[in-house]
Amino acid sequence: WLLRQAGKNRDGPARRAATPQTNTKMSASSKKRKLSIAVGDKVDALWPADGEYYPAKVRAINDDGTVALDYADGDRRNGASTSELRCKKPVLDAPSTPTEPPSEPSEPSPINPDDALRLSYAPDTTSHRETEYEAIRRFFAERLEQRRGGSLYVCGAPGTGKTLHVERARAHVLGSVATRDAKACFLRGTAFASGDAFLRAVAKGVCSSSVLQGDPERGELLLRLKETCDAGTKTNPVLRVVVVDEIDSLLKCGGEALRKVYGLATRETSTLALIGVANAIDVPRRAFFGDIPASCEEASRHGTVVFRPYEHKQLVDIVTQRVGEGIFAAPALEFVARKVAAHSGDARRALDACRAALLAARRHGEHPVSMARAAEAIRESGGATHGPLAAVASLPHHAHVALRAALDLSTNADRSFTRSALATAYSRLQPQLGRRGDCAGAADDSVALLESAGLVGAAPDRRSKALKARNPGQAKLR
């Protein structure tokens, strides 16, 4: 009766006031009974062998008050006390009686457009990144299935969703896995002033505290990391995942330490997986590969995923998915998307400009957001003052190399060149990529960045449609 009354009292303050205060006072035995769990409940349960809590399900309740558990990874345990459990649901989640009138329908409240346009807001679904997300998800899934390490480098222009999709894929694959099966940590390269600090953060994130016991020197710490991350003869080793955002910032202060961690990740028996995220496409060459040929066994355990800049239609879709139809006038949203796509393809900049335009429209009592407010937001964000030098400065290193190659080719009368010629010139400037066979993809990504920045455009192509379809590499640029 007390539980039913408690369930009713949650419906509103009027019903709580109608219940005598004495009904809320319970004895110690009543509290114990209310906090107890039922068969089928999902809990976090202690595993005595290592003192950690793992997901489990209550299989049975014994006569002595202990419970039998089925852990999510297949282990079973009998005789666990309730003090060793952590409930995953509210303890007062009592079902209402059949005669209880239905409560108000709980429809999700619409998201405030202002909040939806904030960079801190992460929508449930994202678009135009299905291929990249699937490649990252597959990397995590294969590492977990094989219990072997490897490395993945995720790169692309700023504001293209790299970090968001890496974290989303990691949570999707490893989020429900017990920590006995996989341990993961997220690090930011700009947070470290030295390589030793980076190594200690890696050890603290995916290893036990014993690895750092005694404040070991770098050599001893690397040896302990190697022993911990070596699968050896273990039948069920722990996968250890390290995600490093802005990994290129470590090249100056901790390049040698980063190379050591990469070496651990690409060993055949390693259980350490290293995922690096940055803007520049050539970080693996500068930091790890050097002149290593593509056929090398070490290089075969490394993968790369490239995020291309957003096009204006994709930016329109991203904003519309967040705020819905009718908030922005179609020409205003199209204007913001085209301006941002022409400069950088940065979704974060498009969201900032749209939010500024929305707030300005509210101050002036306008709905929907007009073209005037959109143009004002672009001007305030600096979109109209960005010249070619600022556009060049915002590009990553590999795009600078492609721009140099384009300038070398722009010697004829109309200053035009073909895509295939640009790829050849790019390979001359990046010989390591040429030997590894990565030049075509790197050159295509660089051209996309140059086009989005308005530094390279299509030249008149007088070939027939058949020739254009047969040989797209001969399309002219200038």
Side-chain angles (χ1 to χ4, degrees), residues 140-141 144 169-178 181-184 239 241:
F140 282 114
L144 180 62
R170 182 195 63 79
H172 180 262
V173 177
L174 305 179
S176 59
V177 176
D181 298 327
K183 293 184 178 181
L239 176 66
V241 179

Side-chain angles (χ1 to χ4, degrees), residues 361-448:
R362 285 181 176 175
R363 288 195 299 269
H364 290 81
E366 294 180 0
H367 181 79
V369 179
S370 65
M371 174 69 80
R373 302 306 163 202
E376 178 185 338
I378 289 293
R379 284 196 302 271
E380 290 179 354
S381 65
T385 60
H386 280 299
L389 291 179
V392 172
S394 67
L395 293 172
H397 174 74
H398 65 286
H400 289 166
V401 176
L403 183 59
R404 167 64 187 274
L407 291 172
D408 290 344
L409 294 172
S410 302
T411 56
N412 52 16
D414 61 354
R415 304 186 66 182
S416 64
F417 49 87
T418 63
R419 287 180 179 271
S420 58
L422 179 61
T424 303
Y426 187 90
S427 66
R428 287 198 300 267
L429 295 173
Q430 297 277 50
Q432 294 87 349
L433 286 178
R435 284 193 289 271
R436 287 180 44 77
D438 294 342
C439 254
D444 288 343
D445 177 68
S446 300
V447 170

Side-chain angles (χ1 to χ4, degrees), residues 37 42-58 67-73 75-88 179-180:
I37 55 178
K42 294 182 179 180
V43 297
D44 286 332
L46 179 71
W47 184 254
D50 58 8
E52 298 285 347
Y53 283 80
Y54 302 103
K57 188 175 182 180
V58 178
V67 295
L69 300 170
D70 289 332
Y71 286 87
D73 59 358
D75 287 337
R76 310 184 82 185
R77 182 185 174 197
N78 298 314
S81 66
T82 55
S83 62
E84 297 175 318
L85 307 181
R86 295 174 180 172
C87 291
K88 283 191 170 184
T179 54
R180 281 177 297 169

